[in-house]
Amino acid sequence: MKLAKSGNSQDIFVGIDGSWFPLREISGYEDLTRIGDVVADRRFGDLEAQVRGQAARSDGPDLSDAATIVDGDADVWGAGLNYRRHSDDLETEQPGSGPGSYLRPTSCLIGNGGTIRLPKQSRRVTAEAELGLVVGTRCKDVPRDAWRSVIAGVTAVLDMTAEDAIRQNPRYIPWAKGFDTFCSIGPALVTLDEFPGDSLDGIRISTVKNGEVIAAATPRDMKYDLGYLVEYFTMGRTLAPGTVICTGTPGAVPISPGDTVRATVEGVGTLTHPVG
């Protein structure tokens, strides 16, 4: 099952087997406008049953300009340097006691297809494709081997960084990632049941610029696996439903005005953005 938001109305749509259904037409869900409320405590199991009882439809959101799936009050956490290639991009070693990490403002989010605006405060901005995990259960101190019990689904992420700031001082990470238009998350959330067992470990995550694949890898190439990341980000803190954990990039690419950059996550979705 998929969840997506219309770019115009911000209405939530539910996608099953290629057909889309407005959430506001599903009994018991008419008043829900936040992704976090839809996925909270896995209530989407009942939602899927109801949707499958509806007549087939296809008039869903245009995913090429879908709104971000992130709620305006949700937290977006990120893991840095989780792939060797990205560590090499920055000419630095991967951290040995846990991933680099940051919390970013939702003011930097844009919908799919939106223009990335390069800030005058940076001379080198990079774009990075990532896999995102969306929390579905309010949780804290989750054991590594229980990570799937609190994750509702996965999504694609395109993350921008003012890389020159990071090279100057690694402590600037939140500042370097917080500019307007510096993050896209979507265009849809795909529920975790679509990836049984360890199948998620084999999906391909690709950073693409102007049609060229710059870097690609699978979660098997992560230094800190998905279970470790959920354990790490929930240690001593409570994550609410709708929280997104960005799991690191296989590689970054510098972007300039006129470029088109994509984040493609196999079986999940593609984000495409012009650079202005």
Side-chain angles (χ1 to χ4, degrees):
M1 186 175 72
K2 296 182 178 181
L3 299 174
K5 284 187 176 182
S6 166
N8 294 324
S9 65
Q10 299 279 308
D11 284 347
I12 298 175
F13 286 79
V14 183
I16 294 182
D17 299 334
S19 292
W20 290 92
F21 304 84
L23 187 68
R24 51 184 160 75
E25 295 182 8
I26 306 299
S27 177
Y29 296 84
E30 304 95 327
D31 298 327
L32 296 185
T33 58
R34 299 176 66 259
I35 291 289
D37 292 336
V38 179
V39 302
D41 297 317
R42 302 300 184 91
R43 66 179 297 175
F44 51 78
D46 172 68
L47 173 60
E48 180 174 357
Q50 288 203 51
V51 170
R52 288 193 180 278
Q54 303 283 325
R57 298 177 59 172
S58 60
D59 54 338
D62 180 358
L63 294 183
S64 67
D65 67 355
T68 179
I69 64 153
V70 182
D71 299 318
D73 57 352
D75 287 340
V76 179
W77 289 95
L81 302 179
N82 201 21
Y83 290 84
R84 170 61 64 184
R85 163 66 191 271
H86 191 212
S87 179
D88 291 343
D89 288 340
L90 291 172
E91 300 172 330
T92 189
E93 293 185 3
Q94 290 178 287
S97 59
S101 61
Y102 55 89
L103 179 65
R104 71 192 315 158
T106 53
S107 58
C108 70
L109 291 166
I110 55 174
N112 195 20
T115 299
I116 299 165
R117 301 292 181 185
L118 302 182
K120 63 182 181 180
Q121 290 81 5
S122 177
R123 294 182 179 275
R124 181 181 173 88
V125 173
T126 58
E128 308 151 11
E130 304 191 26
L131 172 70
L133 305 178
V134 184
V135 174
T137 301
R138 183 173 295 275
C139 56
K140 179 180 179 180
D141 296 326
V142 179
R144 184 175 184 175
D145 60 0
W147 73 272
R148 290 182 68 98
S149 69
V150 302
I151 298 300
V154 295
T155 190
V157 178
L158 184 65
D159 172 25
M160 270 58 68
T161 306
E163 190 181 283
D164 46 355
I166 301 297
R167 289 177 180 272
Q168 180 182 350
N169 188 330
R171 290 177 293 182
Y172 293 161
I173 291 177
W175 185 88
K177 289 181 174 288
F179 291 103
D180 291 352
T181 75
F182 259 37
C183 190
S184 177
I185 301 179
L189 179 159
V190 181
T191 53
L192 200 58
D193 61 291
E194 298 287 335
F195 299 95
D198 62 356
S199 59
L200 194 60
D201 291 339
I203 66 171
R204 188 176 178 85
I205 302 153
S206 304
T207 302
V208 183
K209 185 175 85 168
N210 299 332
E212 178 185 359
V213 176
I214 303 300
T218 71
R220 290 194 183 98
D221 299 310
M222 293 177 177
K223 180 169 184 176
Y224 299 103
D225 63 30
L226 300 178
Y228 184 103
L229 293 177
V230 172
E231 181 180 74
Y232 179 80
F233 283 107
T234 62
M235 284 192 296
R237 75 199 75 209
T238 300
L239 300 190
T243 299
V244 179
I245 300 173
C246 306
T247 60
T249 183
V253 61
I255 54 176
S256 302
D259 288 336
T260 297
V261 64
R262 296 204 314 267
T264 297
V265 179
E266 181 183 13
V268 177
T270 296
L271 297 162
T272 303
H273 295 273
V275 182

